[in-house]
Amino acid sequence: MVVTFGQAAIASYALAAVLHLWLGLRLVLVSAASERGTPIARALRFALLCTAAWAVVALITQLRGEPGWIAAALALDAWRYGAWFQLVLLLLQPQRWLRGSARTLVWTAVALPVLALVGWPLPYLSSSVALGLPVLGLLLLEQLYRNVDQDRRWSVKPVCIGLGCVYLFDLYLHSHGVLFGQPEPHTLVVRAAVHSLAVPALAVALRRQALRPRALQLSHSMVFHTLTLLLVGGYLLVISAIGYYLREFGGDWGQALQVAFGVAALAALALLVGSGAMRARLRVFVSKHFFRYHYDYRTEWLRFTAALSAHPDSGDIGSHVIRGLGDMVESPAGTLWMAASDGTHYFPAAYWNSTRVQEREAAGSAFVNFMRERDWLVDVHELLQCPERYDGLAPPSWLAADASAWVVVPLPAAQELTGFVVLARPRTPLPLNWEVRDLLKTAGRQAGIFIARMRASEALLEARKFEAFNRMSAFVVHDLKNIVTQLSLMMKNAKRLQHNPEFQQDMLATVDNALEKMRQLMLQLREGEAPAHGRYGVDLAALAQRLQAAAQSHGRMLDVEVVQPVQARGHEQRLERVVGHAVQNALDATPTDKRVWLRVERCVGQARITVGDDGCGMSADFVANRLFKPFNTTKAGGMGIGAYESAQYLKELGGSISVHSEPGKGTVITMLIPLIETERPADAFMAGVA
């Protein structure tokens, strides 16, 4: 038996009429009297009655096919849309001023397609106007779903799913009519049956007691997404109309022009939707014209807190701080300046889509003192144009040279300035008014406290590592004491048994065992204890020659250049270990066929020692963040305290150490040590005796 289109349509409309009438009767008979009299219950009964009436009239149209019945079916089709829209609006429960205007808007939107479907002769225009009804329905459902509390969302979800299937189906049906001039026959036949799928969903919603008023809560994100959907929907309607015009009046090339224009228009839409600048402008437009305040403070604060707390151990907390502040004001880039560990200057510690710079800002500069004392945001353009507003403050050279800089946000913690963030200009023009200043200022305080606590945690962790190191040193000293005791006993017996062959063999075995134990201890305690006996002149030329001889004994070449004899301040053994550590690292990082050199010279009242190599080099990030950190090493057997101890000792002497390195090009380490022209204590004593 073959089922014709007419028979399938009759069955589809009959099913829709029966199911909608059944749900309406169930609502009247089963619900309590108090619930049957509510506005939502009346709106639901009216929507079900309109849908059942549409299905019955459409069924008669299939049987008789008279023009009057067709016009009535088309009018009822649009009218039932208005009934369902009214139900969703009541579920949203807007304020009174919005409720009346919203109903008027809905019924006006419904009246237009009624006129189009009944009176207009062009089928394409009818489909174009009717296409707006499912789009409007989807927008209302989206608002309903967003405004429901999280714990009540499960109850209203069937309403959104059921009506959403109806609107999506009609969106496809009318879109086909817009593109091809008439609806697809197969889709049109099963339309009423598909609309009947909403009935079981509504029944489930009634059972969950979901059809109750909901308070409308307009948020920035809700209005933003709604406006975006409206703009996209309007854009699609416009390109559909243009595509139809090209197809109808383009002659032989009409269809090709329509396809090409559609692809180009969709590509343009994708570019607009994916554009950060367009989204920023739309957010500013929504905040400016729909809300009293520019920001949804709850959302902004939760998002900024989440940005700070995301991956706190990743070592990239600086970029999270910049991005969190930048997202608040649609800034696409920024740089975080942080205080150095010694508190002498501020340096760029993190970047986000910004150019890397090698500048430094002194901790006592007027710019830093202004932010520390006033706790003000610095509008860069205002500072350059009207410095009198900032008490005549002169901008730093690096800030004046940065054309993209927009605002400087201080990051205070207690009475200290942990750093500041330089944000680039926003994607869309944004006035730096009181609201933006207060938001960035408050967020900067939170970020400053967060960074200060992170640095305090790192300092505490380093202190605990040193404590563990000291405990290990205690064990090493204990083992050394046992070795010394063993050797002392052996030496005491050597005077008495030195000619005994068995004792000689045992003595050699004991010495060999003690030597092996000390080697193991030296592996555990790589750098050993630093002697601390006085500070007298150290002959750097002799020191360099000893290091050269030590390198030659291991089969390596060290080029030594002593420009002039230099006596440096410090302890000879300890200073030799500092320079030797740099030389050894250079030899380890350099192949045997490449050069390693050591240069000694005077430089403005200081001794300058330069250790260079043509080895593998180091990255700028490694030099800035890892090289001089304790217990941070790239060697398999290293402890990571050599470079740290060297820097600390030179600082104790009043000197400094700097590193310039590039991956693949080598490394140059420059050490500056104060000069001393006094003699050693022993030499002075001998001279006095003479």
Side-chain angles (χ1 to χ4, degrees):
M1 178 179 177
V2 179
V3 179
T4 64
F5 277 4
Q7 292 173 340
I10 291 173
S12 177
Y13 289 125
L15 177 64
V18 171
L19 287 178
H20 285 86
L21 285 174
W22 168 80
L23 185 60
L25 291 174
R26 180 179 176 84
L27 180 62
V28 173
L29 298 177
V30 177
S31 301
S34 58
E35 295 182 357
R36 290 198 298 267
T38 61
I40 293 180
R42 291 196 298 268
L44 177 58
R45 288 197 300 269
F46 181 66
L48 292 171
L49 178 61
C50 288
T51 306
W54 162 75
V56 171
V57 172
L59 177 60
I60 297 174
T61 302
Q62 290 293 324
L63 296 175
R64 305 184 64 172
E66 297 179 359
W69 289 105
I70 295 176
L74 294 176
L76 285 172
D77 190 11
W79 194 261
R80 70 187 182 96
Y81 260 98
W84 288 113
F85 292 167
Q86 182 181 13
L87 174 65
V88 176
L89 282 173
L90 287 174
L91 290 172
L92 283 169
Q93 191 92 37
Q95 290 86 357
R96 292 182 178 179
W97 64 268
L98 180 61
R99 190 181 306 173
S101 59
R103 290 184 183 179
T104 303
L105 177 63
V106 167
W107 290 110
T108 303
V110 171
L112 291 177
V114 169
L115 296 176
L117 294 170
V118 175
W120 289 356
L122 294 179
Y124 175 80
L125 293 178
S126 300
S127 299
S128 299
V129 178
L131 183 62
L133 291 178
V135 172
L136 180 59
L138 290 173
L139 290 175
L140 290 175
L141 289 179
E142 185 260 348
Q143 295 304 313
L144 175 62
Y145 190 77
R146 282 179 176 274
N147 281 278
V148 174
D149 297 335
Q150 190 68 30
D151 56 345
R152 300 291 301 277
R153 185 168 289 179
W154 72 277
S155 62
V156 80
K157 189 181 295 183
V159 179
C160 298
I161 293 176
L163 293 180
C165 292
V166 171
Y167 297 147
L168 286 174
F169 182 86
D170 281 2
L171 182 63
Y172 168 76
L173 177 68
H174 294 306
S175 299
H176 190 279
V178 169
L179 293 175
F180 300 102
Q182 62 180 2
E184 186 181 10
H186 297 80
T187 307
L188 191 60
V189 166
V190 298
R191 185 188 181 208
V194 172
H195 285 202
S196 300
L197 296 176
V199 174
L202 292 172
V204 173
L206 284 173
R207 188 171 183 178
R208 294 181 179 181
Q209 298 181 347
L211 300 180
R212 291 182 178 177
R214 308 291 179 195
L216 182 63
Q217 299 174 354
L218 293 174
S219 65
H220 287 70
S221 60
M222 182 185 73
V223 176
F224 172 78
H225 288 97
T226 301
L227 186 58
T228 302
L229 287 174
L230 285 173
L231 292 176
V232 171
Y235 180 83
L236 293 175
L237 288 176
V238 171
I239 65 173
S240 298
I242 297 176
Y244 172 77
Y245 176 82
L246 292 175
R247 180 177 180 179
E248 292 296 324
F249 301 100
D252 296 336
W253 293 92
Q255 188 170 2
L257 290 174
Q258 181 189 28
V259 174
F261 173 76
V263 173
L266 291 177
L269 177 62
L271 290 175
L272 290 175
V273 172
S275 172
M278 290 301 299
R279 292 197 302 270
R281 292 182 180 181
L282 186 59
R283 287 194 181 95
V284 172
F285 177 82
V286 168
S287 301
K288 183 178 180 180
H289 296 282
F290 288 87
F291 295 94
R292 180 180 178 183
Y293 296 104
H294 185 82
Y295 293 99
D296 185 347
Y297 293 100
R298 175 181 174 275
T299 302
E300 295 292 342
W301 210 246
L302 290 175
R303 184 169 60 182
F304 185 64
T305 304
L308 292 181
S309 58
H311 309 293
D313 300 328
S314 64
D316 196 24
I317 186 63
S319 62
H320 292 299
V321 171
I322 305 170
R323 186 164 189 172
L325 292 173
D327 287 343
M328 290 181 174
V329 291
E330 300 295 340
S331 176
T335 304
L336 171 64
W337 292 63
M338 289 182 59
S341 57
D342 56 4
T344 59
H345 63 276
Y346 290 81
F347 66 98
Y351 303 88
W352 180 52
N353 300 332
S354 57
T355 305
R356 295 181 177 270
V357 296
Q358 301 296 328
E359 302 289 342
R360 297 289 185 270
E361 183 68 22
S365 67
F367 182 71
V368 173
N369 288 333
F370 179 84
M371 289 190 294
R372 183 187 293 115
E373 296 171 1
R374 298 293 186 88
D375 194 19
W376 280 9
L377 267 71
V378 177
D379 186 342
V380 178
H381 178 75
E382 186 180 58
L383 176 62
L384 295 175
Q385 299 298 324
C386 306
E388 64 275 4
R389 299 181 182 178
Y390 295 87
D391 298 339
L393 177 67
S397 58
W398 56 265
L399 183 62
D402 189 358
S404 64
W406 176 55
V407 65
V408 181
V409 183
L411 308 180
Q415 302 300 322
E416 297 297 327
L417 185 67
T418 61
F420 53 89
V421 175
V422 181
L423 293 178
R425 298 186 183 279
R427 297 181 179 92
T428 183
L430 181 68
L432 197 59
N433 55 23
W434 65 268
E435 189 178 7
V436 177
R437 289 178 180 273
D438 286 349
L439 180 66
L440 289 178
K441 185 177 179 180
T442 308
R445 289 175 178 172
Q446 183 181 3
I449 295 172
F450 186 84
I451 292 175
R453 290 183 177 178
M454 289 288 294
R455 300 185 75 171
S457 299
E458 291 180 358
L460 179 60
L461 182 60
E462 286 185 7
R464 289 177 177 175
K465 288 181 179 179
F466 273 113
E467 182 182 357
F469 178 77
N470 292 333
R471 285 198 302 267
M472 183 181 66
S473 301
F475 291 126
V476 171
V477 171
H478 180 268
D479 292 340
L480 285 175
K481 184 184 69 173
N482 294 335
I483 295 173
V484 170
T485 302
Q486 186 180 17
L487 294 176
S488 299
L489 180 62
M490 183 190 66
M491 291 302 297
K492 186 182 296 185
N493 294 328
K495 296 179 181 179
R496 182 169 52 88
L497 303 173
Q498 57 182 336
H499 300 293
N500 189 335
E502 294 182 0
F503 175 77
Q504 293 175 359
Q505 294 179 359
D506 185 59
M507 181 179 64
L508 292 175
T510 302
V511 172
D512 184 67
N513 182 47
L515 182 61
E516 181 62 27
K517 286 184 178 180
M518 284 189 287
R519 284 199 189 99
Q520 295 297 325
L521 292 177
M522 292 302 295
L523 289 176
Q524 295 180 28
L525 195 61
R526 175 69 62 177
E527 293 296 330
E529 280 225 338
H533 298 292
R535 294 175 180 172
Y536 44 79
V538 178
D539 187 356
L540 296 183
L543 185 149
Q545 292 173 0
R546 289 196 298 271
L547 293 177
Q548 184 182 38
Q552 290 177 351
S553 67
H554 291 85
R556 297 298 301 273
M557 292 296 298
L558 175 63
D559 296 339
V560 174
E561 179 183 4
V562 179
V563 178
Q564 64 258 75
V566 179
Q567 294 283 330
R569 184 183 184 188
H571 189 282
E572 185 170 9
Q573 294 179 358
R574 193 170 181 182
L575 194 57
E576 183 174 347
R577 183 162 61 249
V578 169
V579 181
H581 177 78
V583 171
Q584 187 60 47
N585 284 343
L587 293 172
D588 293 341
T590 307
T592 55
D593 58 339
K594 293 190 176 182
R595 180 170 174 256
V596 178
W597 68 91
L598 172 64
R599 179 184 177 92
V600 177
E601 60 186 335
R602 289 174 178 261
C603 177
V604 193
Q606 290 182 309
R608 181 163 64 187
I609 302 175
T610 305
V611 179
D613 63 76
D614 297 328
C616 59
M618 298 173 287
S619 65
D621 179 73
F622 182 88
V623 172
N625 300 315
R626 295 184 57 188
L627 180 60
F628 296 107
K629 265 197 168 184
F631 307 104
N632 199 325
T633 180
T634 58
K635 298 181 180 179
M639 294 188 63
I641 62 174
Y644 175 79
E645 182 187 10
S646 299
Q648 292 298 313
Y649 181 61
L650 292 177
K651 183 179 178 181
E652 178 183 342
L653 293 175
S656 63
I657 183 171
S658 61
V659 180
H660 176 75
S661 182
E662 294 183 30
K665 296 184 179 181
T667 302
V668 176
I669 299 177
T670 303
M671 290 172 276
L672 296 176
I673 309 170
L675 292 174
I676 191 168
E677 302 298 341
T678 59
E679 299 175 304
R680 297 189 182 187
D683 297 338
F685 176 76
M686 294 301 296
V689 172

